[in-house]
Amino acid sequence: WKYIANPSHTYRTPITFIMHGRERSEYKAMQRDPKVAAKLKAKAEQWYALTATIAKTAKEGKDKPEAAASLMPLTEKLLTVNPDPMYLWNQRRIQISGSEEPAQAAKTPATSLDWNMESRLTATALQNNPKAYGAWFHRKWCLVQLQVLKDPTLLKILQQELGLTVQFLDRDERNFHCWNYRRFVVSLLLLQQEKSKESQLHSHGAGTWRVIFPKDDAA
């Protein structure tokens, strides 16, 4: 959404609202078109049918693991279209972590996490809506899981994530969701670098002690 106002006009002059490159009146006129209205109705019905399937499958999945497995492609399909519903992201985290509810998913290590899959999905979601809170949060959650699992590629991934934030901020420097994510990535990056330095120092120190006190092979 954005608005265009002529500063020379008085405050009584109506403001022209623009949505997706069209004026509001034009957008509403399109919705009144029978063909457009029919397409929108069909999409809405399909959306509600899929969400109902997800709710039913999630309930059955507690006793049927094979049913729960189908939730991943279903949530991916819906989130690609609309990345805003948090309950879809929650359901995805539940399946990845193998927990039963969102609160448990936040505490359970996600050993089945596929970073490549989740990063592609969130990237697609953010291309559709760069300010989708759920997509940014899910990406954070995935990075935390990689940290918990001590993934050896985490440092490289964090450096790539910084590059991702640059791309989004080049498009819109006011995207505070992206700024928040960038601060989060920097904090993890600094922590990983500190751990790497400590590990190198410990390794170097251990080698020094072995020189001072060589192992007695005869003992």
Side-chain angles (χ1 to χ4, degrees):
W1 286 88
K2 65 179 180 178
Y3 66 87
I4 300 175
N6 190 329
S8 64
H9 291 174
T10 65
Y11 67 91
R12 293 188 180 87
T13 302
I15 294 174
T16 301
F17 282 86
I18 306 294
M19 185 170 69
H20 304 303
R22 297 186 178 93
E23 292 187 11
R24 177 184 287 179
S25 59
E26 182 184 354
Y27 189 78
K28 288 186 175 180
M30 288 179 59
Q31 291 181 313
R32 287 193 293 268
D33 184 295
K35 292 182 179 180
V36 174
K39 288 182 179 179
L40 292 175
K41 182 180 179 181
K43 287 182 179 180
E45 289 175 349
Q46 183 182 19
W47 175 273
Y48 287 120
L50 286 173
T51 53
T53 300
I54 287 176
K56 181 181 178 181
T57 306
K59 187 176 181 180
E60 295 176 347
K62 294 180 180 180
D63 302 317
K64 300 178 181 178
E66 64 278 6
S70 66
L71 287 170
M72 293 298 281
L74 282 174
T75 55
E76 181 178 359
K77 184 175 182 179
L78 289 177
L79 288 168
T80 301
V81 176
N82 181 6
D84 292 329
M86 282 298 295
Y87 69 90
L88 293 176
W89 293 111
N90 286 338
Q91 188 57 239
R92 198 165 183 85
R93 286 190 286 274
I94 287 173
Q95 297 307 314
I96 293 173
S97 63
S99 55
E100 295 184 358
E101 56 184 32
Q104 292 179 351
K107 302 176 183 178
T108 307
T111 54
S112 62
L113 172 66
D114 184 340
W115 166 252
N116 290 329
M117 179 184 295
E118 300 309 304
S119 63
R120 282 196 301 268
L121 173 59
T122 50
T124 300
L126 291 170
Q127 286 175 358
N128 293 335
N129 181 4
K131 297 183 180 180
Y133 171 79
W136 287 114
F137 181 83
H138 188 72
R139 212 167 174 99
K140 284 183 179 180
W141 180 81
C142 290
L143 291 180
V144 170
Q145 295 304 314
L146 293 178
Q147 182 187 40
V148 171
L149 297 172
K150 297 181 180 180
D151 190 290
T153 64
L154 179 56
L155 186 60
K156 180 180 179 180
I157 289 173
L158 290 173
Q159 292 169 341
Q160 292 172 343
E161 291 301 282
L162 282 182
L164 177 75
T165 61
V166 170
Q167 294 178 30
F168 276 96
L169 292 172
D170 280 343
R171 292 169 58 185
D172 182 6
E173 61 185 13
R174 299 168 299 175
N175 188 340
F176 71 90
H177 295 287
C178 187
W179 281 114
N180 288 339
Y181 183 72
R182 184 176 176 84
R183 284 192 289 269
F184 173 79
V185 170
V186 169
S187 65
L188 283 186
L189 187 58
L190 292 175
L191 183 61
Q192 288 300 118
Q193 290 175 340
E194 187 64 27
K195 286 182 178 180
S196 178
K197 289 180 181 179
E198 289 179 359
S199 177
Q200 291 176 3
L201 182 61
H202 177 75
S203 176
H204 177 73
T208 303
W209 283 112
R210 283 195 293 271
V211 172
I212 298 175
F213 300 106
K215 182 178 179 181
D216 188 355
D217 295 331

mmCIF file of all heavy atoms in Angstrom, residues 214-219:
data_model
loop_
_atom_site.group_PDB
_atom_site.id
_atom_site.type_symbol
_atom_site.label_atom_id
_atom_site.label_comp_id
_atom_site.label_asym_id
_atom_site.label_seq_id
_atom_site.Cartn_x
_atom_site.Cartn_y
_atom_site.Cartn_z
ATOM 1 N N PRO A 214 56.012 -34.608 27.139
ATOM 2 C CA PRO A 214 55.812 -35.655 26.115
ATOM 3 C C PRO A 214 55.291 -36.931 26.758
ATOM 4 O O PRO A 214 55.630 -37.257 27.885
ATOM 5 C CB PRO A 214 57.210 -35.849 25.526
ATOM 6 C CG PRO A 214 58.140 -35.360 26.587
ATOM 7 C CD PRO A 214 57.427 -34.239 27.282
ATOM 8 N N LYS A 215 54.450 -37.652 25.997
ATOM 9 C CA LYS A 215 53.879 -38.891 26.497
ATOM 10 C C LYS A 215 54.967 -39.949 26.625
ATOM 11 O O LYS A 215 55.796 -40.129 25.742
ATOM 12 C CB LYS A 215 52.805 -39.375 25.524
ATOM 13 C CG LYS A 215 52.106 -40.652 25.984
ATOM 14 C CD LYS A 215 51.011 -41.029 24.989
ATOM 15 C CE LYS A 215 50.342 -42.323 25.438
ATOM 16 N NZ LYS A 215 49.291 -42.730 24.487
ATOM 17 N N ASP A 216 54.968 -40.614 27.772
ATOM 18 C CA ASP A 216 55.949 -41.661 28.036
ATOM 19 C C ASP A 216 55.422 -42.965 27.447
ATOM 20 O O ASP A 216 54.583 -43.650 28.028
ATOM 21 C CB ASP A 216 56.163 -41.811 29.535
ATOM 22 C CG ASP A 216 57.323 -42.768 29.840
ATOM 23 O OD1 ASP A 216 57.852 -43.354 28.881
ATOM 24 O OD2 ASP A 216 57.668 -42.912 31.024
ATOM 25 N N ASP A 217 55.896 -43.310 26.240
ATOM 26 C CA ASP A 217 55.406 -44.500 25.563
ATOM 27 C C ASP A 217 55.807 -45.776 26.307
ATOM 28 O O ASP A 217 55.172 -46.817 26.153
ATOM 29 C CB ASP A 217 55.952 -44.578 24.142
ATOM 30 C CG ASP A 217 55.418 -43.427 23.295
ATOM 31 O OD1 ASP A 217 54.291 -42.970 23.589
ATOM 32 O OD2 ASP A 217 56.126 -43.000 22.350
ATOM 33 N N ALA A 218 56.873 -45.662 27.091
ATOM 34 C CA ALA A 218 57.339 -46.858 27.796
ATOM 35 C C ALA A 218 56.473 -47.172 29.001
ATOM 36 O O ALA A 218 56.481 -48.259 29.527
ATOM 37 C CB ALA A 218 58.799 -46.665 28.242
ATOM 38 N N ALA A 219 55.704 -46.127 29.452
ATOM 39 C CA ALA A 219 54.901 -46.345 30.663
ATOM 40 C C ALA A 219 53.721 -47.233 30.365
ATOM 41 O O ALA A 219 53.182 -47.234 29.279
ATOM 42 C CB ALA A 219 54.413 -44.987 31.168
#
